[in-house]
Amino acid sequence: MKKFIRTAMTALTLGLSANAMANDSVGWPEKADLKFGFIKLTDMAPLAVAYEKGFFEEEGLFVTLEAQANWKVLLDRVIDGQLDGAHMLAGQPLGATIGYGTEAHIITAFSMDLNGNGITVSNAVWEEMKKNIPEKDGKPVHPIKADALKPVVEKYRAEGKPFNMGMVFPVSTHNYELRYWLAAGGLNPGYYAPHKGDTSGQLQADVLLSVTPPPQMPATLEAGTIYGYCVGEPWNQQAVFKGIGVPVITDYEIWRNNPEKVFGVSKGWADKYPNTHIRVVKAMIRAAKWLDENDNANRPEAVKILSQPNYVGADYDVIANSMTGTFEYEKGDVREVPDFNVFFRYNATYPYYSDAIWYLTQMRRWGQISDTKPDSWYMDVAKKVYRPDIYAQAAKALIAEGKIPADQFPDFASEDGFKPPQKGFIDNITYDGRKPNDYLAKFPIGLKEGDAL
C-alpha cells in the first residue's frame, strides 16, 4: 500500500513539475532522487524548509534529508558519493580543495546564512569575567570582549590549569570566530603546523581549542572538560536553559553579518548533474526568502519544523529563543537581535568571493596554510570553489518565473563577487577581500606575509 501511495504521489508531483518546468529555462534534472546531509543546527533551515514547503518537488526533485554524526563524516560522504550534497561549514569546501585534511574538489553555489553562532562560557568562568565587565542598569555592557576573559585565563594558567575551549571543526567558522575574538582580546589561540605534522592548533597557545560536535557542547561543558565553546544554535541557548553556562557574545558582534554555512557538492557531481544542481539552488533560494520574508513572520513555523527530531530535535522554546529575533545571554537577560539568523536579507544566499577569501586569510593567519601566498592565489582558490555563475543561473530562472523580483538579488550585470571593504569587526579592523596580505598584516597576533613556524 505504501509503495502504491508513493508511486501515485510521485506521478502526481511529476505531472505538476512537468507543467512547471515546461515554462522553465533550466533543463530537466539529470538526477531526481537525491540525498542531502546536515548537522543538527538551526542554520540547516533552508534544507528543511525547501523540503517541507515543497520547493524541491516543484523542481522535480525527490530529496531525502539525513542528519550526520559530525562534520568529517558529512564531508567524507559527499566526497565518496553517499550524499549528493550537504549543509557544510563555509571552510569545508575551501579546506578540502586546497588539501587541508581530506583532499577533494568541493564547490558551493549557495550561501546558507549569515550569523547564527555564539560563544558560551561556564558559570564559574562567567562569575570571574563579570568582575572585568562594566554594567549599565544592572546588566553587562555588550559586546563583551575577550579582554574580560584574559585575567581569568591568566589565573587558571598560574594555577597550572590549561584553559580549554571547544569549537566544532578545524576549518569551521566557529574555530575562526573564537580565535578572532580571543586574539582581539590579547589571547593567542595557538597555531597549526601541518608541514611539521602538528594539526593540534595549540602551538604557542594561551587558550587550548579542541573539537567537540555541536550537540555535545553543553554536556562537555557541564562535565568540566571545557570551560567554554563557540557553536551554532540552539546549543548556546541550551546552556542557558540547562543553567550550566552563559553566552557572552554572538558572532554578529564579532563580525556583523558574517557568512556562516554553505551548501556544498563535489565538483564531479556538479559537472555531471548541472541542471539538477541549478534546481537545488533554486529551491533553496526560495526557502531562504520564505525564512526572512515579512520581517521574519514565518519564523515560528520554521521553529516548529526544526524542533522535529528528524531535523534539529531541540525543544521549540530553545530554538525560538534565537531564531525569532531575540537572544538570551545571562539567564533572564533577553535582548533584541533581529539579525541573529539571516537567510536571505543582505544578499545572504550569494556566494561572494570575498567571503571565501576571508576564510583563507584565517587559515593562513593560524598556520593551516603553512607558507605565504600571493594575493592572486587567494583569488584563484576562491573562484575555483565559490560559484556565483551557477547561483546566477538559478536566480535568473526564478526571476523569469516571477517567483522573486530581480531587485532582491545582486545586479548580475555589474556584480564582481567582492563586497566593499567591510567594517563591523570587534577589533575595528577593516577587511578588503582584494588585499588579503595587507589584511593579515593588520593583526597583532597571527602569521603574516613571510612568517613561518
Side-chain angles (χ1 to χ4, degrees):
M1 183 66 179
K2 287 182 180 179
K3 184 176 180 182
F4 171 78
I5 293 172
R6 162 71 175 167
T7 303
M9 288 181 67
T10 300
L12 176 62
T13 308
L14 280 173
L16 292 171
S17 298
N19 290 333
M21 287 190 285
N23 300 314
D24 196 337
S25 59
V26 181
W28 286 79
E30 303 88 353
K31 183 179 183 183
D33 288 298
L34 305 169
K35 181 185 288 187
F36 298 145
F38 68 91
I39 298 293
K40 292 194 168 193
L41 294 159
T42 56
D43 55 24
M44 63 78 60
L47 280 170
V49 169
Y51 179 87
E52 296 289 340
K53 304 303 288 186
F55 300 149
F56 282 134
E57 286 197 348
E58 287 182 29
E59 296 295 334
L61 306 173
F62 298 93
V63 171
T64 300
L65 301 178
E66 186 179 280
Q68 305 297 301
N70 57 55
W71 293 112
K72 184 181 187 308
V73 168
L74 177 146
L75 178 62
D76 289 345
R77 295 189 76 202
V78 169
I79 291 169
D80 68 18
Q82 293 182 62
L83 296 172
D84 293 286
H87 162 233
M88 286 187 182
L89 300 158
Q92 279 189 294
L94 294 160
T97 299
I98 66 173
Y100 187 82
T102 306
E103 185 169 4
H105 191 176
I106 305 294
I107 68 167
T108 180
F110 180 83
S111 177
M112 292 189 71
D113 64 317
L114 306 177
N115 312 317
N117 298 333
I119 296 173
T120 292
V121 298
S122 69
N123 291 333
V125 170
W126 174 241
E127 288 305 314
E128 292 295 317
M129 283 184 70
K130 281 174 73 174
K131 300 172 185 177
N132 311 313
I133 301 169
E135 290 190 351
K136 183 179 180 181
D137 300 326
K139 291 183 178 182
V141 175
H142 283 257
I144 295 172
K145 297 183 178 181
D147 304 58
L149 179 64
K150 189 175 182 181
V152 184
V153 172
E154 289 171 346
K155 179 185 175 185
Y156 274 59
R157 294 182 72 194
E159 295 170 353
K161 294 189 292 187
F163 198 90
N164 299 314
M165 297 188 78
M167 47 80 184
V168 308
F169 202 66
V171 295
S172 66
T173 320
H174 319 75
N175 185 22
Y176 304 128
E177 288 170 348
L178 181 51
R179 287 170 174 275
Y180 200 103
W181 181 70
L182 291 169
L187 290 165
N188 190 332
Y191 297 103
Y192 296 83
H195 57 294
K196 295 181 178 179
D198 190 330
T199 55
S200 69
Q202 298 180 353
L203 293 173
Q204 305 176 29
D206 297 323
V207 177
L208 304 180
L209 307 187
S210 58
V211 171
T212 301
Q216 296 174 26
M217 287 289 192
T220 309
L221 182 73
E222 189 172 19
T225 308
I226 54 177
Y227 300 126
Y229 56 72
C230 183
V231 75
E233 281 305 302
W235 308 115
N236 296 287
Q237 295 299 284
Q238 185 79 302
V240 178
F241 272 71
K242 293 183 72 175
I244 61 170
V246 176
V248 293
I249 191 166
T250 66
D251 60 344
Y252 179 84
E253 298 163 292
I254 297 170
W255 174 14
R256 186 170 60 248
N257 292 331
N258 64 91
E260 176 49 30
K261 302 296 191 308
V262 298
F263 181 77
V265 301
S266 73
K267 173 68 161 48
W269 186 93
D271 289 344
K272 189 174 182 180
Y273 308 118
N275 295 341
T276 301
H277 193 195
I278 293 169
R279 290 186 176 282
V280 170
V281 174
K282 284 179 66 186
M284 293 181 68
I285 291 173
R286 291 182 66 194
K289 184 177 185 301
W290 182 89
L291 280 158
D292 277 11
E293 64 190 3
N294 299 323
D295 293 324
N296 297 349
N298 295 323
R299 293 295 179 87
E301 183 181 348
V303 172
K304 188 174 181 181
I305 291 169
L306 293 173
S307 65
Q308 296 175 34
N310 53 312
Y311 293 129
V312 179
D315 291 345
Y316 180 96
D317 290 342
V318 174
I319 299 174
N321 228 28
S322 60
M323 188 81 168
T324 55
T326 61
F327 192 83
E328 188 169 14
Y329 294 90
E330 192 172 12
K331 189 71 174 176
D333 185 0
V334 179
R335 306 193 186 202
E336 295 290 322
V337 189
D339 283 343
F340 181 82
N341 282 120
V342 173
F343 294 97
F344 188 75
R345 293 189 295 279
Y346 319 129
N347 293 326
T349 56
Y350 189 82
Y352 284 96
Y353 295 139
S354 50
D355 290 348
I357 290 170
W358 186 85
Y359 286 101
L360 293 168
T361 65
Q362 301 310 294
M363 292 177 190
R364 170 59 189 149
R365 182 183 182 187
W366 304 117
Q368 291 172 329
I369 297 170
S370 301
D371 304 315
T372 293
K373 304 291 185 184
D375 286 352
S376 59
W377 180 88
Y378 291 88
M379 311 298 179
D380 291 344
V381 174
K383 290 177 179 179
K384 189 175 182 182
V385 177
Y386 276 45
R387 296 294 303 273
D389 56 319
I390 295 171
Y391 179 94
Q393 291 178 74
K396 288 174 182 178
L398 290 170
I399 294 167
E401 293 163 23
K403 291 189 170 75
I404 301 179
D407 63 6
Q408 295 192 23
F409 291 106
D411 178 4
F412 296 118
S414 61
E415 179 58 62
D416 63 4
F418 286 86
K419 295 176 181 176
Q422 292 170 265
K423 299 182 180 180
F425 287 85
I426 196 163
D427 55 6
N428 295 316
I429 291 176
T430 299
Y431 166 60
D432 183 349
R434 298 181 185 278
K435 301 175 181 178
N437 281 300
D438 284 356
Y439 179 58
L440 286 167
K442 297 177 182 179
F443 296 111
I445 300 175
L447 300 180
K448 301 168 183 60
E449 194 169 10
D451 287 348
L453 292 173

